Amino acid sequence: MSVSYKVGTVKSKQSPNVNTQPKAPVVKGVKTTGKKKDEEEGIDTADGEEWMQGKTLVKPPDQLDLTEEELKEEITRVLTANNPNAPQNVVRYSFKEGCYKTIVFVDQMAIHFELEGNLVHKESDEGRRLMAKHTEREDCGGDERLENVPIKPGKREQKVTNQFNFIDRASQTLNNLPREISCQTEPPPRANFSATANQWEIYDFYVEELQRREKSKEKQESQFPNKEEDRSKKKMIQAEAQSDDISQLAKPAEIIERMVNQNIFDEVAQDFMYFEDAADEFRGEKGTLLPLWKFQYDKAKGLSVTALCWNHIYSDLFAVGLGSYEFTQQERGMLLFYTLKNPSFPEFIFNTDSGVMCVDIHEQLSYLVAVGLYDGCVSVYDLRKKSDQPMYNSIASSGKHTGAVWQVKWQKDDLDSNHNFFSVSTDGRVVSWTLVKHEIVFTDIIKLPPVDKVPDDLKNVVATAGTSLDFHKQKDHHFLVGTEAGKIHKGSKYYSSKFLEMYDAHFMTVSCVRWNPFHPNVFISCGWDWMVKIWDHTINSPVFTFELKSSVTDVAWSPHSSTVFAAVTADGKVHVFDLSINKYEALCQQKVVSKKTRLLHIEFNPVHPIIIVGDDRGRVISLKLSPNLRKKPKEKKGQELPKGPEVEIAKMEQLLSSLR
Amino acid sequence: MTTLTEERVCINRDRTERMAETGDGKKEDADYKRLQSFPLIRHTDMPEEMRVETMELCVTACEKFASNNESAAKMIKESMDKKFGSSWHVVIGEGFGFEVTHEVRNLLYMFFGGSLAVCVWKCS
């Protein structure tokens, strides 16, 4: 063993006895003795003597025997850093000088012990790797696989499914059943066409065409209005193009409106057509009136119905004149046309400046409507035109009435085939109006005779107001006029100065007078004195008299039977009579409006068994006659049921003869 | 649906005879020919636009295939099929009679070139 010495010289003051080179078989005791000696010298003598007593000096056999002089020799020991084992005479060949040279500086390091450690710096690569491995091993727990060293931490979550944790399960939702829908559209319409194509046909056609073109060229050259034609044509085209947009909708919209109305009033329509009151069999003679549609117009609320007229050609269309009977409440008037197919809204609406008092629709030309107004004007409207203005209007200069016109009636076309109509008014004149081209021309027919009560000198001034006018159905020239004084005058168109007859009919105003549609001699009148009277025009006194409990505002004959008539009174009741069944009583007395509403007019429909009544609130109500009210006479067994107007006449005649 | 009877009248012979009558006759004929070669609609119930288009198409076709009626008819028929829908029928000729069933508002019968008649109709 070699011991490394520190560099430096240590001078030892020790006695030469102490050997520098330790020998193996050094007896302990010798050393101890040696040391003891040192210790003796160092330590105070007091203790040293005690130690010294027990021991004796022993010489080892191989100790050097040195003389005293040699023993006292001071030997210096020098501690150097030189490696004693390092060679001191290393020689190297130097190629530069070409000889061997001794190397002075020799490596003096002597390695005594080497041990490789296993500590790794934690910042180095290997250190980091080991750290990662370490933490992984801690996480994995029991699974230590040295082969999985390069595993990254992100893939830890990959779970492999196994049979025991996961099961496949499937289910089928409900499949909707397939449905077949098929549809067949209408094929486009087809038409046949045939012709022949020959040379001569072609030739002829070309020749014609050329001729036509020449003619048109001539026309163009000669006529100036060519430009106007173009312009009007252009306008036409423009108007058509415009009207294409909206007016094409008008017709379908109208149809839809009617359909909707029909749906809404479906029950009413069914009743109108089919309902026959079965209870009539048990009622004996009496009948009832079934209310059907109500016709109302918002803007007409303040006005009273002053006139009703059915259209003879379109049996579902009727005219309603609206105005006011009050002298103080004169504002405006309206003329409305309703159809049974559309009870919600009128078909035609005409506004007039003053109240409409009477309306009449021409029998053949159902678009011509004559209207008499409260201010004395008469107008004629043409329903074909879209405008709101009447076709003809009588103005002050053309001899209009100075009082309200109470009745207008169309007449047959005169000899010049001009349309004409008659009117009667408060000023006592019966005037005939003729439509000549664009004008209306009046002709005074007759003036009503003055009332007896009027003093003589005023007879020319104070007029007798005529309130009602009716012409005989067969003998056109006969007509009846009812007056405010309660008289009925029978006149003729051929006599312009005097009336043929006068009947003392009522105590108060005659509100309506009408000829019987079948029997030529019979007419009916009603007045505000609560009476309805039936007359034979040959007799001065009435044939039948009925008292209804309130002032009678209108009466009408049924177009189906000569003995049936209906009257309306101011207390809101409709009275229906059939003289062939009951000569004294009404078959039906029914209140159709609420209290305080007066019924003002009544009209029978020429075709259907319904009547319309107008009240003073601007409403028109349609009612259906129950079977009892429109009975035909019972036929005897075996006999054919006779029909026709003759039967009706005969019926009436029977009645009359029974009274005479 | 269609019954076609084509009459092959010997028009050319008649015409030449007429022309042989007078020299003026020749000129007249020629004049008339010129005057009468514009397309002239004999009968139609087509709407305005369709009519104009079809007429122009027929004129184009007939001018292009002046000697071959079949190709002209083919061209017209194919164009009409493309433009207005399938199943058009076209007959071009100088002498024939016909009776056809056509879809309403889809028939055109016109003359062209003084001697040619064209009938176009749709029926599927």
Side-chain angles (χ1 to χ4, degrees), chain A residues 36-37 39-54:
Chain A
K36 274 178 187 171
K37 266 189 182 177
E39 283 173 359
E40 276 177 11
E41 291 175 358
I43 301 168
D44 285 342
T45 51
D47 288 340
E49 289 180 357
E50 287 174 14
W51 284 105
M52 278 296 292
Q53 286 177 353

Side-chain angles (χ1 to χ4, degrees), chain A residues 63-74:
Chain A
Q63 199 175 20
L64 286 171
D65 286 327
L66 295 172
T67 58
E68 297 248 347
E69 291 168 349
E70 284 179 354
L71 282 171
K72 282 186 187 163
E73 209 181 298
E74 256 186 50

Side-chain angles (χ1 to χ4, degrees), chain A residues 188-207 209-210 213, chain B residues 11 36 38 40 43 94-104 107 109 111-112 114-115 124:
Chain A
R190 295 180 177 182
N192 286 347
F193 176 67
S194 62
T196 318
N198 289 324
Q199 291 304 297
W200 59 86
E201 280 228 11
I202 299 175
Y203 179 79
D204 288 344
F205 197 64
Y206 269 107
V207 166
E209 175 71 21
L210 286 170
R213 288 191 182 180
Chain B
I11 303 141
Q36 288 177 2
F38 56 89
L40 178 61
H43 172 88
E94 293 176 2
F96 58 93
F98 60 92
E99 156 115 25
V100 302
T101 306
H102 65 95
E103 275 179 31
V104 172
L107 170 79
Y109 178 37
F111 300 142
F112 174 70
S115 65
S124 52

Side-chain angles (χ1 to χ4, degrees), chain A residues 67-335:
Chain A
T67 58
E68 297 248 347
E69 291 168 349
E70 284 179 354
L71 282 171
K72 282 186 187 163
E73 209 181 298
E74 256 186 50
I75 300 167
T76 54
R77 282 206 199 131
V78 177
L79 276 177
T80 59
N82 292 339
N83 184 2
N85 290 339
Q88 289 158 340
N89 49 353
V90 177
V91 171
R92 279 247 163 87
Y93 184 76
S94 156
F95 287 94
K96 190 176 174 185
E97 290 163 26
C99 63
Y100 287 96
K101 266 192 150 176
T102 55
I103 293 176
V104 179
F105 295 106
V106 175
D107 191 17
Q108 299 296 324
M109 187 167 95
I111 295 169
H112 294 288
F113 179 73
E114 199 174 330
L115 176 67
E116 277 199 29
N118 52 7
L119 285 178
V120 176
H121 194 270
K122 64 178 183 181
E123 302 297 317
S124 73
D125 288 330
E126 207 187 314
R128 287 204 198 101
R129 253 186 283 135
L130 288 173
M131 290 276 280
K133 214 200 312 174
H134 202 58
T135 47
E136 228 187 81
R137 276 189 188 164
E138 280 175 9
D139 286 347
C140 284
D143 249 353
E144 280 189 12
R145 292 185 193 178
L146 295 167
E147 297 148 70
N148 284 349
V149 166
I151 287 176
K152 289 182 187 173
K155 284 186 183 173
R156 276 181 273 144
E157 287 142 25
Q158 198 180 42
K159 274 190 185 176
V160 179
T161 59
N162 58 9
Q163 292 174 303
F164 306 103
N165 287 345
F166 298 93
I167 306 171
D168 271 332
R169 190 149 39 146
S171 73
Q172 169 73 34
T173 58
L174 181 66
N175 279 349
N176 286 328
L177 295 169
R179 282 207 191 145
E180 273 186 31
I181 296 181
S182 59
C183 168
Q184 169 76 36
T185 57
E186 269 185 35
R190 295 180 177 182
N192 286 347
F193 176 67
S194 62
T196 318
N198 289 324
Q199 291 304 297
W200 59 86
E201 280 228 11
I202 299 175
Y203 179 79
D204 288 344
F205 197 64
Y206 269 107
V207 166
E208 267 180 45
E209 175 71 21
L210 286 170
Q211 281 174 358
R212 246 182 282 147
R213 288 191 182 180
E214 278 177 24
K215 272 186 195 169
S216 65
K217 273 185 197 168
E218 283 172 12
K219 275 188 188 174
Q220 279 182 5
E221 285 163 13
S222 59
Q223 280 183 6
F224 263 92
N226 173 40
K227 286 184 190 171
E228 284 181 10
E229 275 176 27
D230 280 343
R231 253 181 268 148
S232 63
K233 273 184 200 167
K234 280 182 195 168
K235 277 185 196 168
M236 281 278 288
I237 295 164
Q238 276 175 5
E240 273 173 22
Q242 279 171 2
S243 64
D244 275 342
D245 302 329
I246 291 177
S247 69
Q248 274 184 352
L249 270 183
K251 198 91 211 301
E254 207 182 301
I255 294 171
I256 298 237
E257 189 186 10
R258 288 199 179 177
M259 279 163 63
V260 170
N261 271 301
Q262 198 177 42
N263 284 343
I264 296 172
F265 296 107
D266 184 44
E267 292 156 2
V268 178
Q270 300 289 334
D271 288 343
F272 160 73
M273 260 337 267
Y274 303 114
F275 180 74
E276 305 292 348
D277 200 346
D280 264 11
E281 292 173 41
F282 308 108
R283 268 196 220 117
E285 292 169 345
K286 306 276 176 191
T288 51
L289 296 168
L290 178 72
L292 297 173
W293 298 284
K294 282 199 178 60
F295 300 89
Q296 226 170 349
Y297 185 47
D298 284 338
K299 296 188 185 159
K301 265 191 181 159
L303 302 168
S304 320
V305 172
T306 52
L308 290 172
C309 187
W310 283 101
N311 189 315
H312 293 273
I313 297 180
Y314 298 101
S315 61
D316 60 292
L317 186 67
F318 62 92
V320 180
L322 293 151
S324 176
Y325 284 117
E326 301 296 318
F327 181 72
T328 44
Q329 280 177 11
Q330 287 305 319
E331 297 160 356
R332 56 191 175 91
M334 290 180 99
L335 177 63

